[in-house]
Amino acid sequence: VHQRWQVDFKVGIRLKNGLRVNLHTVCDPVGAAYTGDFVFATGKRQRRVKMEEVRAVLRMCFARWGTLPDEIQTDGEPVLVSPHQDSFPSVFTLWLKGLGIEHLVIQNVTSNAEVERCHRTINDYAVIGNEDKTPEELQHILDQSTHELNFELSSRAKDCAGRPPIVAHPELLQPRRPFQPEQELALFDLERVDAYLATFTWKRIVDKNGRVSLGGKQRRYSVGRSYAGREVVARFDPTDRHFVFSEQTVLVCTFYISISLV
């Protein structure tokens, strides 16, 4: 237990007051436990999941169980995963890496089957029929429902044999990697992030203005107009934290960087 947590979302749930909320569900597939269920108000039109919502949910789960998992598994939600054509790790992935957590991205929906089932169960058990509640009231209902599903109600999961998850897997209450909210910055290791970035190489075509992008179109680096239309290779040097751009074996330029992840 607490090796891998799965994450899923249901967006745009309409409440009777006209607001919409996004429901985030986190589960532990081995312990068959509801790690956390949280709603965020999105207004009357906004539906997409925000990265800060997901990070807030995970922080609350870390605090609730007093532990960090080894892995977080999500789908390819755009705010959590960099576009395939970019191949630069997302800020979300790098944040997890700094905490010593691997970010696993599923290739098909069946890979997240456990959290999908938990998601449907908590939606039927706590959300449907309570659409007249405010987001705050609905969150209180979700907290109570999660407790009941973990500690009181029988589970259909095979390993639980009809027992509540906590009864079947008391080790859920034993932190694997102890965590307290005030410890996050101390537990975050930038050297882990740097070592991870150093494993990549990125190929880019220099645009007509002599620039290339890394980590999104807004993060641009100028290598010079003389390289327009040519391919350069970028890598990260962790010794003093800079990007190195090369054309085959010829050094083009270097850029020192500062990335905010926490």
Side-chain angles (χ1 to χ4, degrees):
V1 301
H2 297 314
Q3 174 186 333
R4 178 181 303 173
W5 290 353
Q6 297 178 357
V7 182
D8 191 31
F9 320 99
K10 183 175 178 62
V11 301
I13 300 174
R14 187 189 296 272
L15 303 182
K16 289 185 178 178
N17 59 12
L19 288 178
R20 294 180 183 271
V21 295
N22 292 340
L23 172 63
H24 297 237
T25 296
V26 186
C27 86
D28 186 316
V30 172
Y34 292 75
T35 310
D37 297 278
F38 300 91
V39 289
F40 289 85
T42 64
K44 295 185 177 181
R45 295 184 179 180
Q46 181 67 38
R47 295 189 180 187
R48 66 183 180 87
V49 171
K50 298 179 180 179
M51 181 183 66
E52 283 311 315
E53 291 179 2
V54 184
R55 295 215 294 184
V57 163
L58 289 176
R59 283 175 169 133
M60 287 185 283
C61 291
F62 298 159
R64 175 176 290 180
W65 296 91
T67 190
L68 295 175
D70 297 332
E71 303 165 345
I72 293 292
Q73 182 168 294
T74 73
D75 61 15
E77 189 72 32
V79 297
L80 304 182
V81 180
S82 294
H84 294 299
Q85 65 270 23
D86 184 85
S87 73
F88 194 91
S90 68
V91 170
F92 179 75
T93 297
L94 296 178
W95 171 65
L96 291 177
K97 179 62 69 172
L99 291 172
I101 302 171
E102 295 296 318
H103 182 199
L104 307 179
V105 181
I106 63 172
Q107 301 302 311
N108 54 73
V109 294
T110 58
S111 299
N112 252 6
E114 292 86 356
V115 73
E116 291 278 359
R117 285 195 293 270
C118 289
H119 203 65
R120 288 193 298 270
T121 299
I122 198 68
N123 184 64
D124 294 346
Y125 187 60
V127 177
I128 294 177
N130 287 310
E131 292 89 348
D132 59 335
K133 307 298 183 182
T134 66
E136 294 76 18
E137 292 170 334
L138 186 56
Q139 184 59 58
H140 179 74
I141 293 170
L142 283 167
D143 291 341
Q144 181 62 36
S145 299
T146 299
H147 179 85
E148 293 170 359
L149 288 164
N150 283 331
F151 287 85
E152 301 174 12
L153 300 179
S154 62
S155 172
R156 293 183 179 180
K158 183 178 179 181
D159 290 347
C160 291
R163 297 168 294 174
I166 297 297
V167 175
H169 296 280
E171 64 271 26
L172 283 163
L173 301 179
Q174 301 300 318
R176 280 169 57 92
R177 301 172 57 206
F179 173 87
Q180 296 296 328
E182 62 272 15
Q183 297 173 339
E184 180 180 339
L185 191 58
L187 292 172
F188 188 91
D189 187 350
L190 191 58
E191 291 186 1
R192 276 196 295 252
V193 178
D194 290 348
Y196 179 63
L197 285 171
T199 64
F200 291 87
T201 57
W202 302 277
K203 293 182 179 180
R204 295 290 187 269
I205 300 297
V206 182
D207 68 17
K208 64 180 181 180
N209 296 312
R211 297 179 301 183
V212 296
S213 298
L214 280 177
K217 294 181 179 180
Q218 289 72 37
R219 298 180 182 271
R220 295 181 179 178
Y221 301 85
S222 178
V223 299
R225 290 178 180 270
S226 61
Y227 290 94
R230 292 155 66 175
E231 183 180 79
V232 294
V233 176
R235 62 179 179 83
F236 181 75
D237 186 340
T239 56
D240 53 359
R241 311 199 70 246
H242 66 275
F243 285 121
V244 178
F245 294 85
S246 303
E247 187 180 38
Q248 295 181 347
T249 60
V250 179
L251 177 66
V252 175
C253 59
T254 63
F255 287 94
Y256 291 86
I257 67 167
S258 176
I259 299 177
S260 177
L261 300 173
V262 179

